[in-house]
Amino acid sequence: MRVRLRDVAEHAGVSVKTVSNVVNGYVHVSPAMREKVQAALEELNYRANLSARSLRRGRSGLIALAVPALDMPYFAELTRFVVQEAELLGWTVLVDQTDGLREREQVVATGLRSHLIDGLILSPVAMDYAELSAVRDETPMVLLGEKIGGADIDHVAFDNVAAARVATEHLLSLGRTRVAAIGYQAGVVARSGVAEVRRTGYEQALAAAGLPVRASLTRTVAGFQRLEGARAMDSLLAERPDAVLCFNDQLALGALRALAVAGVPVPDEVAVIGIDDIEDGRFSSPTLSTIAPDKAAVAREAVRLLHHRLGGPAAPSREVSVGFELVARESTLGRRG
Amino acid sequence: MRVRLRDVAEHAGVSVKTVSNVVNGYVHVSPAMREKVQAALEELNYRANLSARSLRRGRSGLIALAVPALDMPYFAELTRFVVQEAELLGWTVLVDQTDGLREREQVVATGLRSHLIDGLILSPVAMDYAELSAVRDETPMVLLGEKIGGADIDHVAFDNVAAARVATEHLLSLGRTRVAAIGYQAGVVARSGVAEVRRTGYEQALAAAGLPVRASLTRTVAGFQRLEGARAMDSLLAERPDAVLCFNDQLALGALRALAVAGVPVPDEVAVIGIDDIEDGRFSSPTLSTIAPDKAAVAREAVRLLHHRLGGPAAPSREVSVGFELVARESTLGRRG
């Protein structure tokens, strides 16, 4: 039997209007109320009546999510959340990977498939906002990640400068003074902005503590994979850092591996922290300290912005920032208990 | 400038006809020749002229790939390969995750979106072949994973019985006699077949070595995630196994974590091996021994079967089996050198 809005409302103990507001992605619903309704939607396995809606509104029922790499755990986990959120609004998600290539980002943004999709969520690497704004078609678009350039496009971000600063401050709070950083980037890749803003947060924290940024303690990488982290850590060993901020968890897991091979105890001699809170880091030995962005919120806000845009395409663009938290585990605190 | 077949042929030192055969997925090209041409296609960044082809053939230029979970590394890595292979044939891949739910597998298989896609690659969990065969529409379909039931559907698999047997034999070859297994499944989930066939391989290897299958040394899990592996390993410790076969790498990484927490040295007291060869296991400490299926071949054969099916839908179904290899690392061999 089909689950109706009325059933969801009864289950949640709220009005049908409130359920409708949540399902339609309106923002004037309190977070507590929204969670209540979403729990009921999930428990009753509610699905928007896709085909009827599509006919009524001339929509395809598909949205696209384009990320740089599906096999990077951060994006794989984010994709799962986007699929879940989109389903609540009756959308199926077409997932595309751009490999961070300008050519593919442009194909996605210029709406090659605009006859197929109702909207696009894009995490750009190669193109900046001004470029995307110049080439985009009429398809509603929401961008994820760092805002580079000031164009008028809906946007969900989290404060990467603050994230890297908090991570570095955590290392400093342990009394470490030779805090290295792995994840600087050079050239075109640096334009994606993630490396730049995380670098800024790292350098701000050092400056606030009265410590210099030593070039000998920073490492530039070609990509954010484990192998790059392991190589960079290897080359840092001679500099005797007592802590390392890695600009993502994959780099940090690579660094942990290099330290294990070299027989350097973590965190006793070198404390390690990453950013992203991917699942791997919860089961590594030692477990990985990290900054956990609210991925569920990124997905929820992105899908909601898209949905809202479909209702009123002429509205000015909006920017939503989501929170994060420090998750301190064994790689900085050691084994406890 | 657009890369033409002629350019690829010159680069590879083969005829235009051969390049055309490879691009069109015909099977009567030798593997050596095909690799040569594919290398040239990649080096020259060749892309089939999608829009012209689509118009000519009445195709959408989209295929769908439906997997149980995008955030399981095995499927994330497989997805990357499918996207790469499909691109060579001018296809964009729509990725969908079914969460292993019957309802979603049915929606995918019954061709809700048949007006949008040229074909479907599906890794089923909840539905067996007979069920899929009964509900499918005319859209070409290729299945991945265990063949359960004998229906007439194109299929790519690797020999999971042999994989689990080889993994177990590796543990036995180290002189271990109390070889445990983590990954048995019960009830509906067991129907996906992966757990069943890997169990068969494990039990075959024990039998061949004249060892009993001890219920005290096997563990049933609710899913193939790290947390399940850690819990199962915890509960095995009292039984004092000297080796453990985990039915995938995620379970094995969870087991390694539980052993580290308990202070049990790996592999000295307990050797651990997984199956899948996901990237995480190459950087864990200790690095994870595993069985590496040829994921690139799974992707290549699946895309090729789909392409072939489009050319001649009346042909009898085909089954392709791809290879695997044992990758012995520190979790069974210890730190060397």
Side-chain angles (χ1 to χ4, degrees):
Chain A
M1 204 193 67
R2 175 132 213 110
V3 176
R4 299 159 305 166
L5 288 187
R6 174 183 299 275
D7 304 322
V8 177
E10 276 174 17
H11 192 83
V14 302
S15 71
V16 173
K17 178 70 188 156
T18 299
V19 176
S20 168
N21 284 343
V22 171
V23 169
N24 286 296
Y26 297 132
V27 290
H28 57 274
V29 182
S30 74
M33 188 67 87
R34 198 168 60 210
E35 275 188 23
K36 208 161 154 185
V37 172
Q38 282 185 328
L41 289 169
E42 281 163 30
E43 278 158 29
L44 295 178
N45 204 18
Y46 173 85
R47 281 187 179 59
N49 188 339
L50 172 60
S51 48
R53 287 187 157 206
S54 298
L55 289 172
R56 201 162 65 237
R57 304 186 189 173
R59 293 177 188 172
S60 70
L62 284 178
I63 61 172
L65 169 67
V67 298
L70 277 167
D71 56 0
M72 288 184 72
Y74 175 80
F75 289 110
E77 294 176 14
L78 181 65
T79 297
R80 167 171 284 276
F81 284 118
V82 170
V83 168
Q84 283 169 355
E85 289 294 330
E87 195 182 25
L88 289 176
L89 298 182
W91 270 323
T92 295
V93 181
L94 183 161
V95 186
D96 204 355
Q97 75 179 15
T98 61
D99 289 328
L101 297 174
R102 162 174 299 272
E103 177 187 273
R104 295 229 212 128
E105 289 179 1
Q106 186 150 352
V107 165
V108 168
T110 53
L112 174 69
R113 303 188 286 263
S114 65
H115 60 298
L116 291 177
I117 61 170
D118 296 334
L120 167 69
I121 299 171
L122 169 65
S123 176
V125 173
M127 298 181 77
D128 68 24
Y129 276 51
E131 290 169 322
L132 285 166
S133 185
V135 301
R136 67 180 294 197
D137 70 354
E138 293 302 306
T139 309
M141 177 161 72
V142 174
L143 299 183
L144 308 180
E146 281 314 302
K147 184 161 189 171
I148 308 296
D152 195 41
I153 310 179
D154 288 329
H155 180 233
V156 181
F158 87 111
D159 188 342
N160 271 297
V161 173
R165 195 174 55 230
V166 166
T168 309
E169 285 165 355
H170 174 60
L171 298 174
L172 295 168
S173 76
L174 304 170
R176 309 293 166 120
T177 55
R178 295 184 57 78
V179 179
I182 295 177
Y184 280 40
Q185 293 209 294
V188 163
V189 283
R191 295 179 60 201
S192 78
V194 170
E196 281 303 297
V197 283
R198 291 182 179 175
R199 170 186 181 153
T200 300
Y202 162 73
E203 296 183 351
Q204 280 181 359
L206 292 188
L211 292 168
V213 176
R214 295 185 178 93
S216 62
L217 288 180
T218 64
R219 286 296 177 272
T220 299
V221 296
F224 274 26
Q225 290 84 30
R226 289 177 183 80
L227 185 59
E228 290 285 321
R231 282 183 183 149
M233 190 70 239
D234 269 339
S235 84
L236 271 172
L237 287 172
E239 306 293 337
R240 309 202 64 77
D242 55 17
V244 185
L245 166 68
C246 297
F247 288 3
N248 82 349
D249 281 358
Q250 284 176 284
L251 289 171
L253 290 164
L256 284 182
R257 175 64 191 157
L259 289 164
V261 169
V264 176
V266 175
D268 306 29
E269 284 189 27
V270 179
V272 177
I273 191 167
I275 299 175
D276 279 352
D277 190 29
I278 64 176
E279 198 198 355
D280 324 34
R282 288 168 225 159
F283 290 88
S284 59
S285 287
T287 51
L288 180 63
S289 297
T290 191
I291 298 289
D294 189 343
K295 284 170 233 170
V298 171
R300 190 172 58 240
E301 296 303 329
V303 170
R304 186 161 302 160
L305 281 174
L306 212 51
H307 190 270
H308 215 72
R309 183 59 56 187
L310 283 169
S317 72
R318 291 196 294 179
E319 183 156 349
V320 178
S321 192
V322 305
F324 64 84
E325 59 184 26
L326 169 69
V327 183
R329 301 196 185 103
E330 292 169 4
S331 68
T332 56
L333 299 183
R335 184 79 62 81
R336 289 168 296 179
Chain B
M1 201 192 69
R2 174 131 213 111
V3 176
R4 297 159 307 166
L5 288 186
R6 173 184 299 276
D7 304 321
V8 177
E10 278 175 17
H11 192 85
V14 302
S15 71
V16 173
K17 178 70 187 155
T18 300
V19 176
S20 169
N21 285 343
V22 171
V23 169
N24 285 296
Y26 298 131
V27 291
H28 58 274
V29 181
S30 73
M33 189 67 87
R34 199 169 60 211
E35 276 188 23
K36 208 161 154 184
V37 172
Q38 281 185 329
L41 289 170
E42 281 163 30
E43 278 160 29
L44 295 178
N45 203 17
Y46 173 83
R47 281 188 179 59
N49 188 337
L50 171 59
S51 47
R53 285 187 160 208
S54 299
L55 288 172
R56 199 161 66 238
R57 304 186 188 171
R59 293 179 189 171
S60 70
L62 284 179
I63 61 173
L65 169 67
V67 297
L70 277 166
D71 55 0
M72 288 186 73
Y74 175 79
F75 290 110
E77 293 176 14
L78 182 64
T79 297
R80 168 172 282 276
F81 284 118
V82 170
V83 168
Q84 283 169 355
E85 289 294 330
E87 195 180 25
L88 289 175
L89 298 181
W91 270 323
T92 295
V93 181
L94 183 160
V95 186
D96 205 354
Q97 75 179 15
T98 62
D99 290 327
L101 297 174
R102 162 174 299 270
E103 177 186 275
R104 294 228 214 131
E105 289 179 1
Q106 186 149 350
V107 166
V108 167
T110 52
L112 174 70
R113 302 187 285 260
S114 65
H115 60 298
L116 291 176
I117 60 171
D118 295 335
L120 166 69
I121 299 171
L122 168 65
S123 178
V125 173
M127 298 182 76
D128 69 22
Y129 275 52
E131 291 170 322
L132 285 166
S133 185
V135 302
R136 66 179 295 198
D137 69 355
E138 293 301 306
T139 310
M141 176 161 72
V142 174
L143 300 183
L144 307 180
E146 282 313 301
K147 184 162 187 170
I148 309 296
D152 195 42
I153 310 179
D154 288 330
H155 180 234
V156 181
F158 89 111
D159 188 341
N160 271 297
V161 174
R165 194 174 57 230
V166 166
T168 309
E169 285 165 356
H170 174 59
L171 298 174
L172 295 168
S173 76
L174 304 170
R176 309 294 165 120
T177 56
R178 295 185 57 78
V179 179
I182 294 177
Y184 280 41
Q185 292 208 294
V188 163
V189 282
R191 297 179 60 200
S192 78
V194 170
E196 280 304 295
V197 284
R198 291 183 179 173
R199 168 186 182 153
T200 300
Y202 162 72
E203 296 183 351
Q204 281 181 359
L206 291 188
L211 292 169
V213 176
R214 295 185 178 92
S216 61
L217 288 180
T218 63
R219 286 295 179 273
T220 299
V221 297
F224 273 27
Q225 290 83 33
R226 289 177 183 82
L227 185 58
E228 291 285 321
R231 282 184 184 149
M233 191 69 239
D234 269 340
S235 84
L236 272 173
L237 287 173
E239 307 293 337
R240 308 202 65 76
D242 55 16
V244 185
L245 166 66
C246 297
F247 288 3
N248 82 351
D249 282 359
Q250 284 175 284
L251 289 170
L253 290 165
L256 284 181
R257 175 63 192 158
L259 290 163
V261 169
V264 176
V266 175
D268 306 29
E269 283 188 28
V270 179
V272 177
I273 191 166
I275 298 176
D276 279 354
D277 191 29
I278 63 176
E279 199 199 355
D280 323 34
R282 288 168 223 159
F283 290 89
S284 59
S285 288
T287 51
L288 180 65
S289 296
T290 190
I291 299 289
D294 190 343
K295 285 170 232 166
V298 171
R300 189 172 60 240
E301 296 303 329
V303 170
R304 186 162 301 158
L305 281 174
L306 211 52
H307 191 271
H308 215 71
R309 183 61 53 188
L310 283 171
S317 73
R318 291 195 294 178
E319 182 156 349
V320 178
S321 191
V322 305
F324 65 84
E325 59 184 26
L326 170 68
V327 183
R329 302 197 184 102
E330 292 169 5
S331 67
T332 56
L333 299 183
R335 185 78 62 80
R336 290 168 298 179

